[in-house]
Amino acid sequence: MTQNTQQQNKKSKYHRVNPNSWSFKLFLVYDTFMVFIIVFNLFCLCMNFFLMSNLGSWFFNSIHLPDVLSFYREHLHPWVITTEAWFIIFLIVELVVRWAYAIINKHHQRWFFFPFIHWYEILAIIPHLRFLRLFRAGVIAYRLYEMGYQIIPSSIQKKALFYYRVIMEELSDRVVLTVLDGIKHELNTSTTHKDLISNVVQHHRDLFTQVLAEILQENLTKELRAERDLIAKNVGQIVSQAIEDTPELTQLLRLIPIVGSRIEQQIQSIGQRLGENITEGLISPLAYPNQSTQSKPNFYLDISNRITRIEIENNEKLDELVRSAVFESLEAIRKQVKVKQWQQIMQEQDQATE
């Protein structure tokens, strides 16, 4: 999906909004104002926290400006506290007005849905949860972005998305590696995996049978069709040679005058042809299983059923095979997880800039 298509899909959410109407322009100005005032409020509170802390005192003393800090604490700090109180009152009134507006225009199916949908705005009124105001500013900015307005520069968006992916990749890698180490330790220190393997096989015997039958049918039929004539010819030659190597039959035929040798040749020819026909008859159901009638058994399915009935418990070779396959799979996953995708992206970006 191209970028233009994505933008069209985002704008389709607001297809009923007329961008040229005064209500829309007022809505746009109000959202922009709210983003600005929320960010400014949080900036002022952060600076106030810094200036009123011991770290702020140390900083201003180190740059030899203690009078500036004293002036702020005596004259500006009370104003910041008062402004914060008025801002909280403003948020409460603004929330109530918007709730009433939502009820009048029936924005939600029930009138009491509004506080649950805008829970972060209600919690942001609490002084100790002021950071949620920034969340509201982000929601407004994202909504404006969906409407096609570039609130945040694309360069900042790309950097923010890149660092978000870095953090998520590092966290997910740690989780995956911990899980893999736990699985490997469990396989090394316990025998529960044997029961697990047995249960898996028991629950999937029918599927194993079907898959094994399909594999045998798909591969063996091709080989049997390709080698059918050669196998029949070889079996016929073996039968003919077996007749020739039977001294009792040779001596008995030689007792018949004149036609004895002729009968011996005919018997060898008949035996060879009989061996070829029998071999072709035995191979046909295996080489062309789909042409067999319903009364004839499916040899591949029968073979698969017999194989899957084999008991796997107390089988050291099978246990060793499974352990080896699992450990190699875990190690392969570990190597893949250790690959830092964000480092590769940075290298590609550096190469592109060079």
Side-chain angles (χ1 to χ4, degrees), residues 333-348:
I333 297 174
R334 174 184 287 273
K335 291 180 180 179
Q336 182 62 33
V337 170
K338 287 185 176 180
V339 175
K340 305 298 183 182
Q341 301 293 335
W342 60 269
Q343 291 182 353
Q344 296 181 355
I345 295 175
M346 290 186 65
Q347 292 177 358
E348 293 176 357

Side-chain angles (χ1 to χ4, degrees), residues 128-143:
H128 294 288
L129 300 176
R130 295 187 184 100
F131 63 92
L132 290 176
R133 299 173 190 175
L134 189 62
F135 184 75
R136 181 187 176 185
V139 171
I140 296 174
Y142 182 74
R143 183 168 65 244

Side-chain angles (χ1 to χ4, degrees), residues 238-249:
I238 292 172
V239 174
S240 177
Q241 186 65 36
I243 294 175
E244 183 178 355
D245 295 338
T246 304
E248 294 81 5
L249 180 60

Side-chain angles (χ1 to χ4, degrees), residues 134-281:
L134 189 62
F135 184 75
R136 181 187 176 185
V139 171
I140 296 174
Y142 182 74
R143 183 168 65 244
L144 294 175
Y145 170 74
E146 283 188 327
M147 297 174 67
Y149 294 93
Q150 195 74 15
I151 303 299
I152 302 175
S154 58
S155 58
I156 298 179
Q157 291 181 12
K158 291 180 180 179
K159 289 183 180 179
L161 181 61
F162 171 75
Y163 288 113
Y164 169 78
R165 290 176 177 174
V166 169
I167 295 173
M168 295 305 297
E169 182 179 355
E170 291 296 331
L171 291 176
S172 61
D173 288 352
R174 291 297 95 195
V175 173
V176 172
L177 291 176
T178 302
V179 172
L180 293 178
D181 291 338
I183 295 174
K184 189 174 182 180
H185 180 266
E186 183 70 18
L187 292 176
N188 285 325
T189 58
S190 67
T191 59
T192 56
H193 64 282
K194 295 182 179 180
D195 297 334
L196 177 62
I197 294 171
S198 178
N199 292 333
V200 170
V201 173
Q202 292 293 340
H203 293 162
H204 297 84
R205 280 189 185 273
D206 294 338
L207 182 59
F208 288 156
T209 301
Q210 182 179 357
V211 172
L212 183 58
E214 291 178 356
I215 293 175
L216 291 174
Q217 181 173 332
E218 181 179 356
N219 293 276
L220 288 181
T221 52
K222 294 180 181 179
E223 297 297 328
L224 290 175
R225 290 174 186 176
E227 303 295 334
R228 178 181 179 182
D229 296 337
L230 180 61
I231 295 173
K233 184 177 181 181
N234 290 336
V235 172
Q237 292 178 353
I238 292 172
V239 174
S240 177
Q241 186 65 36
I243 294 175
E244 183 178 355
D245 295 338
T246 304
E248 294 81 5
L249 180 60
T250 302
Q251 293 174 3
L252 181 62
L253 292 174
R254 287 178 179 177
L255 295 176
I256 302 174
I258 302 174
V259 296
S261 59
R262 181 63 177 174
I263 294 174
E264 181 180 0
Q265 293 177 359
Q266 290 294 327
I267 291 176
Q268 291 178 356
S269 178
I270 293 172
Q272 180 176 354
R273 187 58 183 170
L274 183 63
E276 293 177 358
N277 292 336
I278 293 174
T279 303
E280 290 184 357

Side-chain angles (χ1 to χ4, degrees), residues 43-56:
F43 173 77
C44 292
L45 292 175
C46 291
M47 292 302 300
N48 179 74
F49 178 79
F50 171 73
L51 294 172
M52 297 301 294
S53 64
N54 294 328
L55 180 61

Side-chain angles (χ1 to χ4, degrees), residues 1 3 8 25 36 40 53 63 92 97 101 104 137 164 182 191 209 215 231 239 268 292 299 317 333:
M1 183 179 293
Q3 185 176 1
Q8 291 177 359
K25 293 180 180 179
F36 171 77
F40 181 75
S53 64
I63 62 176
I92 295 174
V97 171
Y101 182 79
I104 295 173
Y164 169 78
T191 59
T209 301
I215 293 175
I231 295 173
V239 174
Q268 291 178 356
S292 59
F299 293 100
K317 294 296 183 181
I333 297 174

